[in-house]
Amino acid sequence: GVPSYEALGYQAWWNLPALPKLNTQTAAVREYIYDSAVHWIKFGADGWRLDVPAEINDDAFWREFRQRVKSANPEAYIVGEIWHESQRWLQGDQFDAVMNYLLTGALMGWLIGDKLPPYIFRIGDYHKYLKPIKAEGFADRIDYLINLYQSEINFAQFNLIDSHDTPRFITTSGNDFSALQLAWLFIFTYIGPPCIYYGDEIGISGGPDPECRASFDWNREHWNTELYNYAQSLISLRKAHPALRRGNFSRLYAKDDVYSFSRSIKGENIIVVINAGTFTAHASIPIPSAVTQPAYKLLFGKPDNITHHDGILEISLPPGSGCVLSATSA
């Protein structure tokens, strides 16, 4: 059985003997942690991903942690593993971001929907979002999540599809690779840095922990090259267009299985359209008011048809696909 506190002679995290709990109310312990945090930043680490930081239930501790880390490198990234709404830690004085599992749950509810299995990880607010929704419900959830935090926080959020703690998306979806590709398309065109969990890009599958932590397969003959190339193309797309990294976000359209939004920055307007349905979809999308007499350039995807008139973009998209357009004033 699990050893007790009395048997160990000390408290341990989840009673694991190799993980003794530290008394962070002791000044010497706090200094030790702060010194360690600064040491690795000075060594060259780009930041800290904090595992279950809410278990140090002390805002003053994390405020000091931030001050020490940022003093060593003002550009260091501090992201906390928090599975629920995180206003407490995202006021600009503690973390830069959290792992955005609420976004993950919303994407799974829309793109996997009725196929969601019963073994979904139930922690924090994550599971509350794991409910089947159509495009309008997804759009409402995105609007809600955006309004939880200041815009600066949204641009720093750690947007992920799955992780070492959750079943891989491809397994959860029942090997629906088009759903995974649409999830990637969204996070690579949405606000905040996208994250691909190792192995997803080559089609590695895996159920609940520990299955989701399988070793990376270095045999290229086993790789899903179509998936790999798709991921590379999205990376190139985001790098090539400042609006996708720093642009404002606006909801344009949400009906049935189709969702559309824009990312806009001075000199560039990007329109993203996603059809999560199983049939070809026809949508009439209002063009952003900032774009007059637009000229469109297809940046990504293969829509069946695109026309525009009187401030409306008419588009037909094959099932399980999306496209990205650049709209500039003619």
Side-chain angles (χ1 to χ4, degrees):
V2 177
S4 64
Y5 163 72
E6 291 77 13
L8 289 173
Y10 57 87
Q11 292 184 356
W13 188 71
W14 285 60
N15 290 328
L16 297 172
L19 297 174
K21 284 189 175 182
L22 304 180
N23 184 359
T24 55
Q25 296 304 309
T26 302
V29 172
R30 294 168 87 97
E31 285 301 318
Y32 179 84
I33 296 173
Y34 297 150
D35 288 347
S36 297
V38 170
H39 169 81
W40 292 109
I41 294 298
K42 289 183 175 179
F43 187 79
D46 290 323
W48 283 99
R49 181 267 183 188
L50 303 168
D51 198 67
V52 291
E55 296 203 15
I56 298 181
N57 187 19
D58 183 346
D59 291 344
F61 176 91
W62 291 118
R63 290 188 184 109
E64 182 67 17
F65 181 93
R66 179 185 181 87
Q67 290 175 6
R68 299 288 185 99
V69 168
K70 295 291 186 177
S71 293
N73 178 7
E75 298 299 317
Y77 183 53
I78 303 174
V79 57
E81 182 207 8
I82 307 289
W83 292 68
H84 45 79
E85 295 182 11
S86 304
Q87 294 92 329
R88 171 182 174 181
W89 299 275
L90 298 179
Q91 298 294 321
D93 60 350
Q94 296 185 53
F95 309 156
D96 295 313
V98 296
M99 297 179 74
N100 202 356
Y101 279 112
L102 304 189
L103 174 63
T104 307
L107 280 165
M108 293 173 71
W110 180 38
L111 298 175
I112 300 177
D114 292 333
K115 293 185 292 184
L116 285 169
Y119 57 66
I120 293 298
F121 206 41
R122 298 182 65 83
I123 188 169
D125 294 331
Y126 177 50
H127 70 280
K128 297 178 183 177
Y129 283 75
L130 293 168
K131 299 176 182 178
I133 47 175
K134 302 294 277 185
E136 187 172 4
F138 176 74
D140 289 344
R141 289 186 185 181
I142 294 302
D143 291 347
Y144 176 79
L145 292 176
I146 286 177
N147 287 308
L148 281 178
Y149 313 115
Q150 296 295 320
S151 62
E152 294 85 355
I153 297 296
N154 290 324
F155 278 95
Q157 285 286 62
F158 187 92
N159 297 330
L160 69 165
I161 300 303
D162 50 34
S163 74
H164 61 288
D165 281 325
T166 63
R168 288 185 183 263
F169 186 100
I170 195 60
T171 300
T172 304
S173 68
N175 293 319
D176 187 342
F177 286 94
S178 66
L180 175 60
Q181 289 176 324
L182 293 185
W184 283 351
L185 176 58
F186 180 84
I187 65 170
F188 272 88
T189 54
Y190 183 59
I191 299 171
C195 171
I196 292 182
Y197 182 47
Y198 82 92
D200 281 0
E201 74 278 18
I202 61 171
I204 289 180
S205 60
D209 187 6
E211 294 177 22
C212 55
R213 306 190 189 204
S215 299
F216 189 88
D217 188 345
W218 293 103
N219 186 342
R220 285 181 174 263
E221 293 182 0
H222 299 162
W223 290 13
N224 183 323
T225 54
E226 180 182 349
L227 202 60
Y228 182 76
N229 292 336
Y230 188 90
Q232 283 192 316
S233 63
L234 285 175
I235 293 169
S236 298
L237 177 70
R238 189 175 179 93
K239 284 185 174 181
H241 296 278
L244 294 179
R245 303 191 303 275
R246 300 188 296 274
N248 295 324
F249 174 93
S250 294
R251 169 179 175 172
L252 298 180
Y253 181 93
K255 185 177 180 181
D256 298 328
D257 298 308
V258 179
Y259 176 54
S260 177
F261 60 91
S262 67
R263 300 293 308 281
S264 302
I265 199 169
K266 186 176 180 180
E268 184 175 39
N269 294 278
I270 302 291
I271 296 176
V272 181
V273 189
I274 297 174
N275 174 19
T278 55
F279 300 96
T280 296
H282 307 280
S284 300
I285 300 169
I287 297 169
S289 59
V291 184
T292 58
Q293 297 180 342
Y296 289 100
K297 180 181 180 181
L298 181 63
L299 303 177
F300 186 88
K302 297 179 180 179
D304 289 338
N305 185 54
I306 301 174
T307 60
H308 60 88
H309 60 84
D310 301 327
I312 299 295
L313 173 69
E314 300 284 354
I315 187 167
S316 295
L317 266 180
S321 72
C323 70
V324 180
L325 306 168
S326 174
T328 58
S329 296

